[in-house]
Amino acid sequence: MDELARTRWWSLVGGLVLAVAGFFPLNNSDGYGHLAQGRNIVELGHVPSTDPFSLWKPTPATWHNYEWGFDLAIYAAYESVGPTGIVLLKCLVLFGLGVLLVRFGARLAPAHGAGAGAAPWLTAALVTLAIPAARFRLTERPHVLGLAFAAVLLLGLHALATDRTRRPWHVVGGLVALHVLWVNCHGSHLLGLMLTGAHAAALVRHPRLLLRVGVLLALQVAASGISPFGYGILTDAIEHVVNPEYRGIISEWEAWSPDDPGWYPIALFLQTGLLLASMRTLFRTSAATRAALFASVLLAIMAVRSVRFIGEYIVLTCPMLAAGLAPRFEGLAFRWRVAAEGAALAAALGLSVVVPPDVKWGAGESEYALPAASGDFLAERFPEARLFASIADAWYLMWKLPRAKFLIDGRAPFYGPAHVRAVTASFGDPAAMRAMVDRFGVDTVVLEFTSPKIQTALGTVRSWDDWRLVYVEDWYAAWVRTTAGERAGIDGLSALPPTYEFERIVDPNTPVGDVWRDLRALGTAPNGEGYRSWVKASSNSGRCSAEAHSRGFVRPPTIRNARGQRALAWFRRASERLSGLPMVEIPRAMAALDACELDEARNALAAARRDLEGADRRETLLLEQEIAVRAGETERAQAFLRAARAEPGVDADPSLSAWLPAIAADLEGGVRCP
């Protein structure tokens, strides 16, 4: 196989693996925000110059939608080919990105020199291994176009930095046209200017090559004003980069922190290690490879500075790493290269399903873990809501409620750091939150009640007497002001809680008829199936009463009536929708224990423990002893009881003082499953 054939083969491989990496359903809240903005452009018939979405100011404020081109394109695609079509178009862009990266790696390697044959394969392999770290950037957002545009620019800059280019000024013209498109699709066009600047810095000792890149940079700056907002897009982008306040209000703009996935710093460390191993070869090979090295260092600095650039760094530097490392793999046989690529692909795809964006493979649209049912309810019953939600949730609800107004949403630069910081801080300050909603005339609140970060805000809204709970789904709940709800004819819910706390449902003072009336009011929306199943399970489970609490939750396995079996069946359905949620998995384990389904009880506890830490694991630890008793593992349970009773302060803990004697009584009574 000659050099050209090898490059084509591995280009195809690189394109296919990136296309597969992006093959997952539309599920990103930002993507829905862009759809909403594209719909607004179509409805208006022009790109708006003032904000149509917020209630932040009494009169419409100036707004530069620097992603308007992408917004218009994605909405047009959604209307014409649907969500599956959008996913496939994204995969097509990613396929092109993979092809470009492999070709770039092949061109960076010295022609007919050491490593020339290995560079295309190694680029494809590195791109494959980059998938887990970059997949969170492969959603239906303009960042995907930014990645593709950056790859085209890097290829073009490489052409300008070599003597082999026959028509350099044609390349300059094409890259300027690309920049105009980039400016009107995504704010990462500023990255394009920086990559060109990095190449110019690397070519200072080569005046003829520097002239080409310098002219390109000047034309790019000039072209940055070709937009509906003139140079406003460019100045906005610069202000966001140089103003440190922005990095403190949007998590993905900040550097990595322990709250972010641990895979990110591992990927950064590995990629940077490979970059260091490649530096010597890249620096010594040619002016063009030195320029590519400068661009790689720039991307590394950006990734360390901001989580959002980790994907760009990991993906776009693969060709540089391949060119620097290729001489060491030149003698590797073709069959071993294929085997290595296959192993890399298997590892990458397997790891991808357990790292962000935590979406399974497939096409179409998935509204899982989004406020879809709440949005549909409000769109039907309260379409002109003045809505308070988190940044991400408001992004999504902009799509569901086209006539609503929002206190804050994902357009953080439009609102400015002060307003974003004040609204975000109010989630943790009851007095500030109340003042915020009253000041801006907010009449609707939507919260992700399962999120630990929202618990203070959840308690705050639940304490307001002049507001009413109107909807609950699997992850979210919605409230409206009582006066606004009455005008809209919304009755509200009287029995169901906006949590997975079962006490309210099984409280003898809560009429069963009210519970079932509220359930009927929630309808049959798919995003509420888990919550509705949990309510039905709790209603059918006697173990959740106060009497059962004092007994340590778990009864001897002697009552295996139809009601208990129904409870377990409903808990199973809830778990299918809410897998891993401790507030669902723990009662499922209890119900499984009642039915002597010990394997299911163990699986439920294992799922619950994944999201529990420290003291929160005590309940699962005690339930584990109940399982041991029923499994006949008496010595293990007795050893636990001796150790637990020896702990200081155990008698002062009401839960332990009730639960430990219950376990001891089961041991003495010979309670055991068949």
Side-chain angles (χ1 to χ4, degrees):
M1 188 181 292
D2 61 26
E3 182 178 339
L4 181 59
R6 282 196 302 266
T7 300
R8 288 175 175 172
W9 161 260
W10 291 114
S11 295
L12 179 63
V13 172
L16 287 175
V17 296
L18 272 188
V20 170
F23 187 65
F24 52 84
L26 171 62
N27 178 255
N28 185 271
S29 59
D30 278 22
Y32 284 104
H34 290 295
L35 282 170
Q37 292 171 177
R39 177 179 59 196
N40 178 254
I41 294 172
V42 171
E43 291 175 348
L44 290 176
H46 61 86
V47 181
S49 58
T50 56
D51 160 55
F53 298 108
S54 79
L55 53 85
W56 175 38
K57 292 185 175 180
T59 57
T62 299
W63 172 44
H64 295 159
N65 181 3
Y66 48 80
E67 292 155 342
W68 73 269
F70 175 84
D71 297 346
L72 182 59
I74 193 175
Y75 178 70
Y78 188 92
E79 287 294 287
S80 58
V81 296
T84 294
I86 288 179
V87 173
L88 294 178
L89 287 172
K90 175 189 70 175
C91 291
L92 182 62
V93 171
L94 291 173
F95 176 83
L97 172 62
V99 170
L100 290 170
L101 291 173
V102 174
R103 288 181 178 267
F104 184 31
R107 293 187 183 182
L108 277 174
H112 309 295
W121 157 71
L122 195 52
T123 304
L126 290 172
V127 167
T128 303
L129 292 173
I131 290 174
R135 190 170 180 246
F136 80 107
R137 297 294 277 176
L138 307 184
T139 56
E140 290 72 15
R141 301 171 67 185
H143 306 81
V144 172
L145 287 182
L147 276 168
F149 292 161
V152 175
L153 176 62
L154 286 170
L155 260 175
L157 286 169
H158 177 74
L160 297 179
T162 63
D163 291 320
R164 298 195 298 260
T165 305
R166 295 181 180 179
R167 298 180 177 179
W169 301 112
H170 287 72
V171 175
V172 170
L175 293 180
V176 171
L178 172 76
H179 191 74
V180 172
L181 183 60
W182 199 346
V183 164
N184 289 279
C185 285
H186 190 222
S188 64
H189 63 88
L190 192 59
L191 171 62
L193 296 176
M194 296 171 71
L195 289 174
T196 305
H199 277 69
L203 297 172
V204 291
R205 296 184 178 181
H206 305 270
R208 186 166 55 84
L209 302 179
L210 176 61
L211 175 64
R212 302 173 182 176
V213 177
V215 170
L216 171 62
L217 181 60
L219 292 175
Q220 283 178 318
V221 172
S224 297
I226 304 176
S227 79
F229 313 106
Y231 282 99
I233 289 181
L234 177 61
T235 56
D236 280 357
I238 294 174
E239 203 259 332
H240 305 158
V241 170
V242 301
N243 187 344
E245 289 187 281
Y246 282 105
R247 294 197 300 277
I249 60 174
I250 303 296
S251 59
E252 73 168 20
W253 293 1
E254 297 177 318
W256 182 86
S257 72
D259 291 333
D260 295 316
W263 172 240
Y264 292 169
I266 295 174
L268 270 174
F269 175 80
L270 293 174
Q271 193 81 353
T272 303
L274 292 176
L275 179 61
L276 291 173
S278 307
M279 276 188 173
R280 184 175 181 180
T281 300
L282 291 173
F283 191 81
R284 292 185 173 185
T285 300
S286 67
T289 57
R290 278 195 296 277
L293 175 61
F294 274 44
S296 300
V297 173
L298 170 66
L299 288 165
I301 294 171
M302 294 170 66
V304 171
R305 182 178 180 268
S306 173
V307 170
R308 70 180 303 179
F309 287 111
I310 290 177
E312 280 80 351
Y313 171 50
I314 299 294
V315 171
L316 294 176
T317 57
C318 286
M320 295 73 147
L321 304 186
L325 298 173
R328 308 180 189 188
F329 296 91
E330 185 64 27
L332 193 64
F334 181 76
R335 64 178 181 276
W336 292 113
R337 294 178 185 180
V338 173
E341 172 62 27
L345 183 60
L349 296 184
L351 187 58
S352 291
V353 298
V354 295
V355 297
D358 302 312
V359 181
K360 296 180 180 179
W361 309 104
E365 186 173 16
S366 170
E367 294 180 316
Y368 179 77
L370 294 172
S374 297
D376 289 336
F377 175 86
L378 292 170
E380 179 184 354
R381 306 292 299 277
F382 206 46
E384 297 183 358
R386 296 173 63 84
L387 206 147
F388 180 25
S390 72
I391 286 177
D393 296 335
W395 253 132
Y396 173 77
L397 291 167
M398 283 170 60
W399 171 246
K400 285 288 185 177
L401 288 93
R403 293 160 55 191
K405 301 291 183 181
F406 298 85
L407 181 59
I408 195 172
D409 54 66
R411 301 168 300 149
F414 163 71
Y415 291 102
H419 181 69
V420 174
R421 193 164 42 247
V423 176
T424 303
S426 73
F427 280 91
D429 186 334
M433 186 173 178
R434 182 69 208 213
M436 188 76 65
V437 300
D438 288 344
R439 174 188 171 191
F440 290 100
V442 171
D443 55 27
T444 308
V445 172
V446 175
L447 295 177
E448 184 185 2
F449 65 84
T450 57
S451 170
K453 298 179 181 180
I454 300 296
Q455 295 310 301
T456 300
L458 176 63
T460 300
V461 179
R462 295 180 72 181
S463 70
W464 293 343
D465 294 334
D466 55 338
W467 285 67
R468 62 176 62 173
L469 176 70
V470 296
Y471 202 84
V472 187
E473 56 181 307
D474 291 355
W475 308 92
Y476 290 87
W479 292 259
V480 300
R481 284 186 187 267
T482 301
T483 52
E486 289 173 348
R487 288 195 300 270
I490 303 175
D491 295 331
L493 306 176
S494 61
L496 296 183
T499 66
Y500 286 100
E501 299 166 356
F502 44 68
E503 288 86 348
R504 174 76 175 274
I505 296 173
V506 301
D507 189 330
N509 296 320
T510 301
V512 175
D514 289 356
V515 172
W516 292 98
R517 184 201 64 195
D518 283 358
L519 274 177
R520 288 191 296 271
L522 295 183
T524 60
N527 263 31
E529 176 65 24
Y531 178 80
R532 296 192 302 271
S533 297
W534 173 83
V535 171
K536 294 172 185 177
S538 299
S539 298
N540 280 284
S541 177
R543 69 167 58 256
C544 298
S545 64
E547 182 180 353
H549 264 291
S550 65
R551 176 74 180 80
F553 292 97
V554 181
R555 298 188 302 269
T558 55
I559 304 175
R560 303 183 66 180
N561 54 32
R563 185 171 182 175
Q565 293 298 316
R566 286 198 302 270
L568 179 57
W570 284 116
F571 275 128
R572 286 170 177 163
R573 292 187 64 173
S575 177
E576 289 174 2
R577 289 287 304 179
L578 305 162
S579 177
L581 192 66
M583 294 173 286
V584 172
E585 298 296 354
I586 289 175
R588 178 166 76 96
M590 296 175 183
L593 267 175
D594 260 356
C596 277
E597 300 285 353
L598 299 186
D599 287 341
E600 180 172 358
R602 292 188 182 98
N603 291 337
L605 286 188
R609 280 188 169 136
R610 285 195 291 266
D611 285 339
L612 291 175
E613 296 179 1
D616 292 336
R617 290 193 171 205
R618 181 181 62 178
E619 194 171 50
T620 63
L621 184 62
L622 291 165
L623 274 172
E624 194 174 88
Q625 309 318 308
E626 298 270 12
I627 294 174
V629 171
R630 281 150 183 74
E633 300 170 2
T634 55
E635 293 183 2
R636 175 183 173 185
Q638 289 169 346
F640 171 82
L641 283 176
R642 289 193 297 269
R645 286 169 171 165
E647 290 290 328
V650 65
D651 294 332
D653 188 317
S655 178
L656 289 177
S657 62
W659 206 324
L660 295 180
I663 295 175
D666 286 349
L667 281 169
E668 294 174 5
V671 171
R672 184 173 179 179
C673 290

